[in-house]
Amino acid sequence: MPASNVELASGIRIAIDRGGTFTDVHAYIPNSSKPEAVFKLLSVDPANYHDAPTEGIRQVLSHFRGHNLPRNELLDISDVESIRMGTTIATNALLERKGERIAFLTTKGFNDLLVIGNQARPHIFDLSVQKLQNLYGKVVEIDERVTMEEYLENPDKQPIDITKDEALVEGQTGEPVRILKTPDMDQVRDKLEKLWGEGFRTVAICFIHSYLFTAHEDQVAALAREMGFEVSVSSELQPMIKMVSRGNSVTADAYLSPLISRYVKNFGDGFKGGLDAIADKLLFMKSDGGLCLWRNFSGLRAILSGPAGGVIGYAQSCWDPEDPTPVLGFDMGGTSTDVSRFAGEYDHVFETETAEVTIQIPQLHIDTVAAGGGSILHWKNGLFAIGPDSASAHPGPVCYRKGGPLTVTDANLFLGRLRPEYFPSIFGPDENEPLDQDATAKAFIKLTETINSEGLSFTPEEVASGFLRIANESMSRPIRSLTEGRGIRTSDHVLATFGGAGGQHACDVAEALGIERVTIHQLSSILSAYGMALADLTHEIQRPLAETLHAMSSEQLESKFKLLNDEADEALRAQGFSGARIEHEMFLNLRYKGTNNSLMIHKPADSWKFSDVFSKQHLEEFGFTMDHDIIVEDIRVRALGKSAAVEEAGVSRARNSLRIKAAGKDQSVKTVKLFTASAWRDAYLYKLEELKPGHQVAGPAIILDQTQTIIVQPGWLATVLPRHLILERALETPATNGAAGSLTVARPEETEVVGPIQLSVFGHRFMSIAEQMGRALQLTSVSINIKERLDYSCAIFSPTGGLVANAPHIPCHLGAMSYAVAYQAEKYGNTLKPGDVLVSNHPAAGGSHLPDITVISPVIDPNTNEVLFWTASRAHHADIGGIAAGSMPPHSKEIWQEGASFLSFKLVEGGVFNEKGLREIMLEKPASYPGCTGTRTWNDNISDLKAQVAANTKGALLIQECIATYSLATVQKYMIAIQTNAEAVVRRLLQRVYDDFQGLPLEAEDYMDDGSVLKLKIRIHRDSGSATFDFTGTSKEIYGNLNAPRAITFSAIIYVLRSLVKEDIPLNQGCLTPIEVILPAGTILSPSVGAATVGGNVETSQRVTDLVLRAFQAAAASQGTCNNLTFGFGGQIVDGKAKPGFGYYETIAGGAGAGPDWVGQSGVHVHMTNTRITDPESLERRYPCILHQFGIRAGSGGRGRNPGGNGVVREIEFRVPLEVSVLSERRTVRPFGLAGGEAGQSGENIWVRHDEHGSREINLGAKNTCHMRKGDRIIIRSPGGGAFGSLIEA
């Protein structure tokens, strides 16, 4: 952008948001009598134009020049100052997998890095484990390798002199990096030439640890560019730790950037002189909310291009610095709704997931829910449901006259919220008919008849309004997560609504969230385009840094920032900005030593005291501070080339300058019927352009502007400002001439009848509470197990311990946690006091295995001292003592060998955390047993237990808010009703299974590796829809640790039943109500109190799940194991103190079983677990090891019509002597196939041992512990899944 353009801003400014359905255009010309113009056109309309943004520019130029410009002529933009654009091209290509054909170059051993990813299943109840295809066409391994010389968990760090070892170099952070293998560039050239011959022209490069050592990536990238390839390099895009995230990001950039380049070129062809004439006038909106020149716009930065414009739009126009109440953005479109938050600074995140691709790049924090105007309405299983499927633009809703389904838009039309007479007549075969109100009415009448056939008595209007209520609740969930999930009150915000459908739902969503005020900008229906008009051009630089904050002086910080500021200034000056128009935002990415909770901290305005801001923000975000050193992870500069933007007057100032006057019949266009507050009511309809600033409209009313409809609900007032419409709850009934006056919305009358609408609402609300508990736990924890591997679950329970709602976390916790809560409920009754919190992990008290510690909090009625609800969180702790590091000993025979155990302990009493008592049961008592130690991770245990307490407290507060809103009786009634609903669904499932099997019993048998038998016979009783699961014949309790507590079997059953339903039903205790389980005492599935059980939760649980699925003939066996690997040292008590050390634990993916209509997925976690694997770079940075290989084990899946999924190979070398343990199954008995399909291959655990006798490979068997020396390796080859159907069928 030329400097003169930036500073004088004399030409036409055009801003365009090209969405999936509509393209919005905002134009502004200074010193004009009507300086602003708005256009809205279809994004795809090939009969009239080939490109919507070009057509928009043509219409803008025609408008300002006063004559129509022909469509077939190139456009002259000499009088245009800038064209600012946002586009969904990149997002759509990613969703539809329609990008460039690319090759992925990565470090040897990581061929399948992005296939496995974090190893978690996208949807835990999807037995087929459907995943979107990878972005690349081929992977090429480059034989290069570096690793970290030091590791963070080292309790005895010593200085390292890199000058004494030529293999050591200094990384970007100053940390020593060891070069194990430099790339042979001749071999690299040969591989690139082969790619070229195969037709590849674009490559993505990601090598391990390149975020801090870029030399190898730089060398390969330079050669590839020299050979003519388009190249994306991970260290150039975002030099941050996490190889999987960086690898995904760089492939996404390579995959999408050519599409962006072609689009920009084609766009330029529509103008006289092409892109050369456009020069620096064309700017694109990036995902971080800043603009960049078209030549700098890449695929990775384009993914949130459009939504980012909306955030800038409401932040600049609806947030008021004179009244700095935080603003929540609510952008409701056709297929989805985006929500975000602004409180004076833009909220950026650095890792997100889009279309199952992890993106590691600065992006505005925008959450999306699949609910919009086009979301399809469903009645199923006695519940109202919205989406996630959408009617899209084609066929669209019923009212679009294309044979589409009922949608949210139809509901708004049917209830009078959309007025066909004011909607464009662009429908029907000739695209000249209005919205089809009659077809919508007939569809709702038909749906109502279907619903009422199940014994209900709704009117069509009640059905339509019920669906809208569910839609509003669905859209409120991500907003609650964005606020309450981070410890911020939702009601302490203003709601800024925009997007085509936002105005129709503004009052209702605000009401659901307890928000008192809504701000709707005059340009809200095109606010993303307007945001681009207000945005600044930005240039970001981020560098890794590994230093202690207190060791850096202000002068050192200033010097480091100056280097980056100067580099950013140079980039902006090259784009025409003078120094006076460049501003800098400076950040440090900080964390406490020993944790992974990093926060990007903005430099304080008048000092370099980052530590004060960090501590305050850490307390707000995570609920605690620590007396630890603060580590600087990254230094970041965001330079802004300030835009000559339109000035926006503050909302409060504009409001205070006006005299408020009620608008009534004289200002209205007409009176219409509007269904609201449970009845048809008269409502005035106003045109916004005919209302004057200061006019106030009382609900119910409808306000129309050029591109949207705004509903003013009863009890709300709409005040017109020069640039905004403010909706506020009426504190008192105002004087009004309104058609219906101002109605107060009463709470629905209490009845004994459970309504399906309210039931659906409570289903969302209960699940939202569990989800926010999970988010709070992840945020406030410190250990890798919880924060990164996500090995935890959160739930809410009835007073007796029945599961009410469990967020979809870890399946093996699903049924088990309720037994833990029920044990405490029976033990304590109503004797607990407010502020008491319990902790338990013993299998006899509903525990799964000892490392899974459950924190249980009562929600107590302060008047009666009765327990109203329970909240609980269960998390896997990396170590709790015992005979082996990681507390997963493969050969434990007694429960005390597995670490600390406690049936019930008051972790918090009267609000006081009992650290002394905890030390006794977790450090001192376990160490008193022969050969055992106390926990080796005491500090992490303390921090994570406090995080669990905080998560429970979050859930308790949200439940109490729910009770305050709806009453205790209502909440408890629907708590029971939601369980009854799930029960009914399971009963119907069992009746269908009975018919499929012609009433015959379902039977299955399988064997553990030690020969123990698992037997199951299921008898279904069709009349009642109940079933008996009889495990009689299962082997006796074993003298080992594969004994599974009874609760584990219930978890397996509830998981299978939920998976077989194949619909999104509430998951709660009701799923088990129709089930009788016979578990003979003294068996491997019902062991005695002192039996060792650490393997039962992770191994036997998987085998029981396969057994139940086999009985239902639903799926072949999956890998049937978690492949538990632990290593570490320390924990022994010496002179009364625990010896410093660490314990690390991971579970490893394998092959999933195939089914009747799916192929087994490879390299995923299956069934009872869904924990993530630690990223390769995080693993090597934190622990003394080298990950040599992590890839798919080809050929390990069973052969058949539908083959089983392949297992994986994971090879780790240890750099210091360590105790290493492996606990696994399916090393002898192979995962079975079904219907003639072959079994998958069994797994294998190999110790590559180096000693005085040389090097050799030793089979460790399924379960073993060994003391490995420096240089020894362990190789885990996990089992494949069984096939479904014979090879002959294939």
Side-chain angles (χ1 to χ4, degrees):
M1 184 183 296
S4 59
N5 281 346
V6 173
E7 297 183 9
L8 297 177
S10 58
I12 302 170
R13 304 174 197 158
I14 303 172
I16 304 170
D17 175 32
R18 187 194 183 283
T21 306
F22 290 103
T23 291
D24 300 332
V25 183
H26 175 270
Y28 180 84
I29 183 166
N31 307 317
S32 171
S33 58
K34 292 186 177 180
E36 210 165 33
V38 171
F39 302 88
K40 204 174 188 75
L41 56 156
L42 289 171
S43 293
V44 179
D45 190 0
N48 292 301
Y49 44 80
H50 74 280
D51 179 66
T54 305
E55 171 64 13
I57 294 169
R58 187 194 68 80
Q59 292 187 21
V60 169
L61 297 179
S62 297
H63 173 79
F64 282 117
R65 292 174 184 170
H67 63 274
N68 191 47
L69 300 177
R71 280 181 175 155
N72 58 355
E73 291 184 5
L74 298 180
L75 296 174
D76 176 7
I77 56 170
S78 56
D79 56 349
V80 172
E81 176 216 290
S82 64
I83 300 169
R84 299 161 174 235
M85 285 179 59
T87 176
T88 58
I89 290 173
T91 308
N92 293 340
L94 200 59
L95 290 167
E96 298 167 10
R97 293 301 197 259
K98 292 182 178 179
E100 190 78 354
R101 184 168 179 255
I102 66 167
F104 178 47
L105 277 58
T106 192
T107 303
K108 183 180 178 180
F110 295 95
N111 183 80
D112 301 307
L113 176 77
L114 304 186
V115 173
I116 301 170
N118 62 21
Q119 80 180 7
R121 310 191 297 284
H123 308 287
I124 63 172
F125 299 116
D126 177 13
L127 295 175
S128 65
V129 197
Q130 294 295 312
K131 294 167 73 173
L132 295 174
Q133 68 184 50
N134 284 298
L135 303 183
Y136 51 78
K138 185 173 184 177
V139 181
V140 175
E141 291 187 336
I142 304 298
D143 192 6
E144 68 80 40
R145 194 60 160 91
V146 302
T147 192
M148 305 293 297
E149 182 66 5
E150 184 57 276
Y151 63 100
L152 296 178
E153 292 293 331
N154 188 353
D156 185 29
K157 291 186 176 68
Q158 301 294 325
I160 297 173
D161 185 355
I162 66 172
T163 63
K164 294 182 178 180
D165 189 335
E166 61 182 17
L168 291 178
V169 295
E170 186 177 281
Q172 300 261 48
T173 61
E175 297 169 283
V177 174
R178 178 169 292 278
I179 299 175
L180 301 174
K181 182 75 171 68
T182 57
D184 182 324
M185 297 310 293
D186 290 334
Q187 290 182 6
V188 173
R189 180 180 290 276
D190 290 342
K191 292 182 177 184
L192 289 172
E193 286 176 348
K194 186 176 180 182
L195 285 176
W196 189 273
E198 293 171 357
F200 288 95
R201 296 294 180 267
T202 305
V203 296
I205 304 173
C206 180
F207 296 159
I208 193 166
H209 299 299
S210 63
Y211 71 98
L212 55 79
F213 178 76
T214 67
H216 292 175
E217 278 194 355
D218 293 341
Q219 292 170 29
V220 175
L223 177 59
R225 285 170 176 146
E226 176 189 309
M227 295 174 66
F229 285 97
E230 293 292 325
V231 183
S232 291
V233 186
S234 77
S235 56
E236 295 176 3
L237 287 172
Q238 187 71 5
M240 292 184 76
I241 191 171
K242 288 190 182 180
M243 186 184 186
V244 173
S245 301
R246 227 174 42 257
N248 270 311
S249 299
V250 74
T251 55
D253 189 68
Y255 186 73
L256 299 172
S257 291
L259 272 70
I260 295 292
S261 297
R262 285 196 291 273
Y263 176 76
V264 171
K265 181 185 182 303
N266 292 337
F267 178 76
D269 290 343
F271 303 91
K272 290 182 179 179
L275 286 174
D276 291 336
I278 291 176
D280 292 348
K281 293 181 179 182
L282 179 59
L283 306 169
F284 279 93
M285 173 61 73
K286 299 179 294 180
S287 300
D288 67 355
L291 296 165
C292 70
L293 288 177
W294 60 268
R295 63 177 68 93
N296 298 329
F297 192 49
S298 69
L300 190 62
R301 291 180 168 83
I303 291 170
L304 291 181
S305 177
V311 176
I312 303 300
Y314 83 77
Q316 294 291 323
S317 66
C318 297
W319 182 76
D320 190 346
E322 295 181 19
D323 175 21
T325 303
V327 180
L328 291 168
F330 176 73
D331 178 6
M332 184 177 176
T335 58
S336 63
T337 296
D338 294 326
V339 301
S340 53
R341 182 176 183 270
F342 184 78
E345 291 184 2
Y346 293 109
D347 189 3
H348 287 96
V349 291
F350 297 85
E351 186 171 305
T352 58
E353 186 174 293
T354 301
E356 297 181 15
V357 177
T358 304
I359 303 298
Q360 191 183 58
I361 200 81
Q363 299 183 70
L364 290 172
H365 190 172
I366 301 170
D367 286 342
T368 301
V369 61
S375 294
I376 297 174
L377 312 182
H378 297 283
W379 166 259
K380 51 188 178 183
N381 299 317
L383 293 173
F384 286 63
I386 302 291
D389 47 344
S390 172
S392 303
H394 182 81
V398 168
C399 59
Y400 277 21
R401 300 178 182 267
K402 296 180 183 178
L406 277 175
T407 69
V408 171
T409 294
D410 287 303
N412 279 313
L413 175 65
F414 182 62
L415 299 177
R417 294 165 172 242
L418 282 179
R419 310 303 307 179
E421 64 269 32
Y422 295 101
F423 209 88
S425 294
I426 56 174
F427 305 101
D430 299 324
E431 299 185 348
N432 60 355
E433 296 180 68
L435 293 169
D436 194 340
Q437 205 164 7
D438 290 340
T440 292
K442 290 176 183 176
F444 270 112
I445 290 169
K446 183 178 179 180
L447 177 59
T448 303
E449 290 171 352
T450 300
I451 294 171
N452 289 344
S453 69
E454 299 184 23
L456 299 164
S457 56
F458 284 111
T459 66
E461 290 84 354
E462 289 169 337
V463 169
S465 62
F467 276 114
L468 291 185
R469 190 172 175 202
I470 305 309
N472 295 330
E473 187 63 36
S474 177
M475 293 182 290
S476 297
R477 268 173 75 174
I479 296 177
R480 291 193 181 99
S481 179
L482 198 64
T483 53
E484 292 168 353
R486 297 163 66 185
I488 307 166
R489 284 172 57 92
T490 310
S491 57
D492 293 341
H493 291 76
V494 172
L495 188 69
T497 64
F498 53 105
Q504 297 159 47
H505 294 257
C507 290
D508 294 328
V509 170
E511 191 101 35
L513 296 169
I515 290 174
E516 302 285 338
R517 189 172 78 206
V518 178
T519 300
I520 302 177
H521 191 269
Q522 185 183 61
L523 302 176
S524 64
S525 66
I526 58 123
L527 201 65
S528 289
Y530 185 54
M532 292 165 202
L534 301 176
D536 298 317
L537 195 144
T538 63
H539 185 82
E540 287 220 13
I541 303 174
Q542 184 166 323
R543 300 280 186 267
L545 198 67
E547 298 195 31
T548 304
L549 182 60
H550 75 77
M552 301 178 70
S553 66
S554 298
E555 291 75 18
Q556 288 174 312
L557 280 173
E558 190 171 3
S559 174
K560 288 183 181 295
F561 274 116
K562 186 177 186 306
L563 290 173
L564 297 190
N565 287 341
D566 290 347
E567 185 179 339
D569 287 354
E570 184 177 346
L572 289 180
R573 279 196 295 269
Q575 298 172 58
F577 283 87
S578 64
R581 297 194 66 82
I582 298 175
E583 295 181 2
H584 303 103
E585 294 177 349
M586 292 173 277
F587 304 84
L588 291 179
N589 193 25
L590 304 176
R591 64 173 175 84
Y592 283 120
K593 185 178 180 180
T595 76
N596 293 318
N597 301 333
S598 61
L599 291 172
M600 194 66 72
I601 302 299
H602 195 293
K603 178 189 173 298
D606 53 359
S607 77
W608 295 94
K609 292 184 178 179
F610 283 88
S611 58
D612 293 346
V613 182
F614 171 73
S615 297
K616 180 181 178 183
Q617 193 167 326
H618 201 281
L619 182 63
E620 292 172 354
E621 285 275 328
F622 305 131
F624 63 94
T625 59
M626 303 177 76
D627 187 21
H628 289 192
D629 286 339
I630 299 172
I631 304 299
V632 184
E633 291 268 89
D634 304 275
I635 181 170
R636 171 183 169 224
V637 163
R638 179 177 168 87
L640 295 83
K642 300 299 290 183
S643 171
V646 180
E647 288 291 327
E648 278 284 344
V651 174
S652 58
R653 182 179 299 180
R655 169 103 187 234
N656 294 336
S657 66
L658 294 174
R659 182 182 174 193
I660 306 302
K661 182 176 69 172
K665 185 175 182 180
D666 292 344
Q667 288 77 35
S668 69
V669 176
K670 61 179 179 180
T671 302
V672 297
K673 290 292 184 181
L674 178 68
F675 191 88
T676 183
S678 304
W680 284 105
R681 305 181 188 278
D682 288 336
Y684 287 143
L685 185 147
Y686 300 89
K687 287 190 175 181
L688 186 58
E689 66 214 46
E690 296 176 6
L691 293 172
K692 306 297 182 186
H695 269 141
Q696 191 170 74
V697 174
I702 299 176
I703 300 175
L704 301 176
D705 72 6
Q706 293 177 351
T707 54
Q708 70 171 325
T709 301
I710 299 163
I711 302 299
V712 186
Q713 289 287 12
W716 286 77
L717 294 171
T719 305
V720 181
L721 305 184
R723 297 280 286 178
H724 301 83
L725 186 71
I726 305 298
L727 302 174
E728 295 172 294
R729 290 201 206 196
L731 299 178
E732 298 178 6
T733 302
T736 178
N737 296 319
S742 195
L743 296 171
T744 301
V745 182
R747 180 181 294 162
E749 186 178 340
E750 280 297 324
T751 68
E752 293 300 317
V753 178
V754 171
I757 297 170
Q758 192 82 317
L759 183 62
S760 302
V761 169
F762 273 104
H764 279 282
R765 189 61 63 89
F766 290 144
M767 187 59 72
S768 176
I769 292 171
E771 288 170 349
Q772 289 176 66
M773 289 174 64
R775 177 175 169 81
L777 177 53
Q778 185 187 6
L779 281 174
T780 56
S781 61
V782 300
S783 68
I784 279 183
N785 266 354
I786 300 176
K787 184 165 291 294
E788 292 189 20
R789 293 184 59 245
L790 307 184
D791 195 349
Y792 65 85
S793 290
C794 296
I796 56 178
F797 301 85
S798 69
T800 57
L803 177 64
V804 175
N806 192 117
H809 295 142
I810 303 299
C812 66
H813 297 162
L814 296 178
M817 282 177 71
S818 61
Y819 292 91
V821 177
Y823 179 93
Q824 307 301 328
E826 185 176 346
K827 175 179 174 65
Y828 287 97
N830 291 320
T831 63
L832 295 170
K833 305 296 182 186
D836 288 352
V837 180
L838 309 172
V839 66
S840 176
N841 72 341
H842 201 290
S848 41
H849 62 176
L850 298 186
D852 281 349
I853 299 179
T854 308
V855 174
I856 303 166
S857 303
V859 180
I860 295 173
D861 186 327
N863 299 317
T864 65
N865 211 54
E866 290 183 33
V867 175
L868 307 177
F869 282 87
W870 298 86
T871 60
S873 53
R874 177 169 288 183
H876 187 106
H877 289 243
D879 200 289
I880 56 164
I883 60 174
S887 303
M888 294 287 292
H891 290 310
S892 53
K893 303 294 191 295
E894 309 288 349
I895 197 167
W896 51 263
Q897 295 176 314
E898 298 172 355
S901 65
F902 24 92
L903 288 161
S904 182
F905 174 72
K906 280 191 179 179
L907 181 65
V908 182
E909 188 165 7
V912 179
F913 191 88
N914 187 359
E915 186 169 329
K916 180 180 178 182
L918 191 66
R919 174 179 288 273
E920 181 180 332
I921 63 173
M922 290 197 72
L923 271 173
E924 297 171 9
K925 185 178 177 182
S928 67
Y929 291 104
C932 295
T933 75
T935 175
R936 301 161 184 84
T937 56
W938 168 248
N939 290 332
D940 280 6
N941 296 134
I942 287 287
S943 297
D944 286 346
L945 286 169
K946 288 181 177 179
Q948 289 179 256
V949 172
N952 289 6
T953 302
K954 165 66 66 179
L957 291 172
L958 294 175
I959 289 172
Q960 288 165 337
E961 286 182 15
C962 201
I963 291 170
T965 302
Y966 293 101
S967 83
L968 174 61
T970 299
V971 173
Q972 290 190 328
K973 178 174 72 178
Y974 281 95
M975 170 199 71
I976 295 169
I978 207 77
Q979 295 174 330
T980 303
N981 175 266
E983 175 190 342
V985 174
V986 171
R987 289 188 188 276
R988 288 195 292 270
L989 166 70
L990 293 171
Q991 288 168 336
R992 289 196 300 272
V993 172
Y994 179 94
D995 294 341
D996 291 343
F997 283 81
Q998 300 178 327
L1000 297 173
L1002 286 61
E1003 297 186 68
E1005 182 175 295
D1006 200 8
Y1007 291 86
M1008 306 290 285
D1009 279 353
D1010 67 356
S1012 297
V1013 64
L1014 301 174
K1015 294 191 76 169
L1016 170 62
K1017 178 179 282 190
I1018 303 173
R1019 296 182 180 88
I1020 299 175
H1021 316 290
R1022 197 190 191 292
D1023 291 346
S1024 61
S1026 60
T1028 301
F1029 284 63
D1030 187 352
F1031 290 88
T1032 300
T1034 294
S1035 290
K1036 297 292 185 185
E1037 171 187 321
I1038 64 171
Y1039 191 51
N1041 62 26
L1042 291 181
N1043 302 296
R1046 292 173 59 89
I1048 293 298
T1049 299
F1050 288 95
S1051 288
I1053 292 172
I1054 196 173
Y1055 164 80
V1056 170
L1057 293 174
R1058 171 61 183 82
S1059 298
L1060 294 180
V1061 168
K1062 296 182 181 178
E1063 292 180 8
D1064 189 15
I1065 66 165
L1067 182 72
N1068 53 54
Q1069 203 68 30
C1071 293
L1072 287 176
T1073 301
I1075 307 301
E1076 178 192 6
V1077 180
I1078 298 174
L1079 285 171
T1083 67
I1084 191 174
L1085 301 183
S1086 184
S1088 59
V1089 173
T1093 59
V1094 76
N1097 179 60
V1098 287
E1099 299 302 300
T1100 311
S1101 66
Q1102 297 279 34
R1103 304 301 300 279
V1104 172
T1105 306
D1106 277 337
L1107 183 76
V1108 179
L1109 286 167
R1110 187 177 205 173
F1112 281 98
Q1113 295 290 292
S1118 293
Q1119 68 162 335
T1121 176
C1122 286
N1123 304 295
N1124 306 273
L1125 175 67
T1126 56
F1127 57 81
F1129 63 81
Q1132 298 86 358
I1133 302 296
V1134 180
D1135 298 330
K1137 294 183 179 180
K1139 181 181 177 181
F1142 70 86
Y1144 172 74
Y1145 170 57
E1146 69 179 23
T1147 57
I1148 303 169
D1157 54 4
W1158 72 82
V1159 170
Q1161 186 63 258
S1162 299
V1164 293
H1165 253 326
V1166 298
H1167 301 325
M1168 286 287 94
T1169 188
N1170 202 34
T1171 56
R1172 297 181 180 183
I1173 196 80
T1174 306
D1175 186 88
E1177 291 174 344
S1178 298
L1179 179 72
E1180 293 188 10
R1181 190 178 195 205
R1182 192 155 186 171
Y1183 301 103
C1185 62
I1186 301 172
L1187 180 62
H1188 285 282
Q1189 183 182 6
F1190 189 34
I1192 298 298
R1193 184 187 174 199
S1196 58
R1199 298 185 306 163
R1201 172 169 58 85
N1202 291 329
N1206 290 318
V1208 303
V1209 180
R1210 190 164 174 86
E1211 181 177 351
I1212 302 174
E1213 175 186 343
F1214 299 105
R1215 304 188 64 205
V1216 300
L1218 291 174
E1219 180 182 87
V1220 180
S1221 298
V1222 63
L1223 172 58
S1224 60
E1225 268 288 308
R1226 294 286 193 199
R1227 267 50 184 177
T1228 303
V1229 179
R1230 295 166 61 184
F1232 58 80
L1234 277 185
E1238 294 183 6
Q1241 295 297 312
S1242 56
E1244 192 175 33
N1245 306 320
I1246 299 297
W1247 176 11
V1248 181
R1249 185 174 185 179
H1250 303 282
D1251 58 19
E1252 62 274 15
H1253 305 295
S1255 176
R1256 60 194 186 279
E1257 292 188 357
I1258 301 171
N1259 190 334
L1260 290 172
K1263 304 160 186 69
N1264 223 321
T1265 296
C1266 51
H1267 295 275
M1268 294 198 181
R1269 301 184 179 189
K1270 178 180 178 179
D1272 284 1
R1273 302 186 184 192
I1274 188 166
I1275 303 173
I1276 307 290
R1277 298 188 179 105
S1278 66
F1284 197 104
S1286 69
L1287 276 170
I1288 297 174
E1289 295 177 67

